[in-house]
Amino acid sequence: MLDPARLLLLRELADRGTMTAAATALGRTSSAVSQQLAVLEREAGVPLLERDGRRVRLTPEGVRLVAHARIVLGALETAERDLRAAADTPRGPVGLACFSTFAAVHVLPALVTAAERFPELRVSLNELEPPEALAALRARHCDVAVRYTYDLVPEPAVADGEFTVHPLAADPVLLALPAGPDPRDAVDLRDLADTPWIVGSREDGSAALVRAACAQAGFAPRIAHAVDDYHLVLRMVANGLGVALVPRLAAAAHAPAAADIALRPPLGPELVRRIHALTLPAPSARPAVDAVLTLLRPPAS
């Protein structure tokens, strides 16, 4: 059977015209190319080259073999591309753990796009708050965990190198007040020192953010309610039961409930909730996980 590597040499000689040009294109010496073409002649059993002064040219048999070589090498190149494409095609299951507000605004459309674009990719969503999502990732119960951190609140301790961190979005945190005049004006938190506050039940979540933001303003907040459901938080604010710090994504995820409140930035440095996807470090490419991470990144505004 003819060696495809030697057929490649013959094709390059036919395309480039000289032994030297073919050798240069393939990163070999002219002597090495000449020796391999001589072996190809013995394999073929017919003369493929003939001298033409100081150069060589293809014999009629050589020309015929080049035509076959193009077909054979083209088929091999097509096979390689097909296999590479198959290896790079996102497929198989990907477990995604994510908190509800990001899931509602960004994960839901990402799941729809994934189903349309990658029919062999199966993404399963598990709604979990960040601590539970990280625990699921550590236990390998999911492949991607989405979490948030607040700029004013220390991040939970994570061992160096335990996860690969993929930034997704910066989510501004706004003050939710009963609807009133001048909704665009920033609010000085000191004006709310005697106002009841609604916070989340987790001390490392929005409760810690409210305490830190109010401490910067010089007072301790009067916490009246601990509520994790942002829909309920917004309805409570609308009914005058307190004020709250609400990420913009949470307001977008519960737009009907946010219709009766004013969302205003606190005076001073911007409060931001940073959203990241975390994965376990991988020694090689994972097309399925990479596709999910790409789909999770909100489009640039």
Side-chain angles (χ1 to χ4, degrees):
M1 183 176 293
L2 301 178
D3 187 333
R6 297 188 183 106
L7 291 177
L8 175 62
L9 298 178
L10 187 69
R11 186 189 69 180
E12 290 299 310
L13 175 61
D15 289 344
R16 301 182 187 277
T18 68
M19 199 80 73
T20 300
T24 300
L26 296 170
R28 301 190 183 189
T29 65
S30 296
S31 172
V33 172
S34 178
Q35 290 173 10
Q36 289 302 305
L37 289 176
V39 174
L40 181 61
E41 279 191 318
R42 291 197 295 271
E43 290 177 341
V46 294
L48 303 175
L49 305 172
E50 60 186 5
R51 283 286 172 185
D52 182 13
R54 300 180 62 181
R55 303 173 64 176
V56 296
R57 65 182 180 187
L58 296 172
T59 65
E61 292 81 2
V63 172
R64 293 176 65 182
L65 184 55
V66 167
H68 290 296
R70 294 189 191 283
I71 296 172
V72 171
L73 295 172
L76 290 174
E77 290 163 0
T78 299
E80 288 180 352
R81 286 194 299 270
D82 181 63
L83 290 175
R84 282 197 299 269
D88 293 339
T89 298
R91 57 161 54 86
V94 175
L96 171 62
C98 182
F99 58 96
S100 62
T101 55
F102 190 81
V105 178
H106 291 295
V107 174
L108 176 58
L111 293 178
V112 173
T113 301
E116 295 172 347
R117 192 177 300 173
F118 308 116
E120 297 180 73
L121 179 63
R122 302 189 306 278
V123 185
S124 57
L125 171 64
N126 191 5
E127 182 191 340
L128 293 174
E129 285 300 301
E132 288 77 20
L134 289 190
L137 185 58
R138 284 191 178 100
R140 290 172 168 74
H141 293 158
C142 68
D143 303 289
V144 180
V146 179
R147 76 163 182 177
Y148 59 79
T149 58
Y150 294 108
D151 282 357
L152 291 182
V153 179
E155 293 186 20
V158 173
D160 289 342
E162 182 180 9
F163 302 116
T164 300
V165 180
H166 312 268
L168 295 180
D171 186 16
V173 179
L174 304 173
L175 186 64
L177 302 165
D182 301 322
R184 293 169 294 176
D185 294 344
V187 176
D188 190 335
L189 292 182
R190 290 176 296 184
D191 295 338
L192 303 173
D194 296 325
T195 302
W197 284 82
I198 306 168
V199 301
S201 63
R202 293 179 180 273
E203 284 302 316
D204 59 351
S206 65
L209 176 65
V210 167
R211 290 192 174 91
C214 293
Q216 282 193 339
F219 69 96
R222 183 161 68 87
I223 294 176
H225 308 283
V227 178
D228 291 322
D229 183 343
Y230 276 115
H231 182 88
L232 179 55
V233 169
L234 295 171
R235 297 306 304 150
M236 292 175 71
V237 171
N239 283 279
L241 297 177
V243 298
L245 288 176
V246 177
R248 182 177 290 168
L249 274 179
H254 301 282
D260 299 325
I261 65 170
L263 292 170
R264 301 167 67 180
L267 196 64
E270 184 181 29
L271 300 180
V272 178
R273 181 173 73 165
R274 309 283 174 182
I275 301 174
H276 303 85
L278 282 74
T279 59
L280 295 173
S284 59
R286 295 175 295 176
V289 171
D290 292 342
V292 170
L293 292 173
T294 298
L295 291 171
L296 288 179
R297 293 187 181 95
S301 58

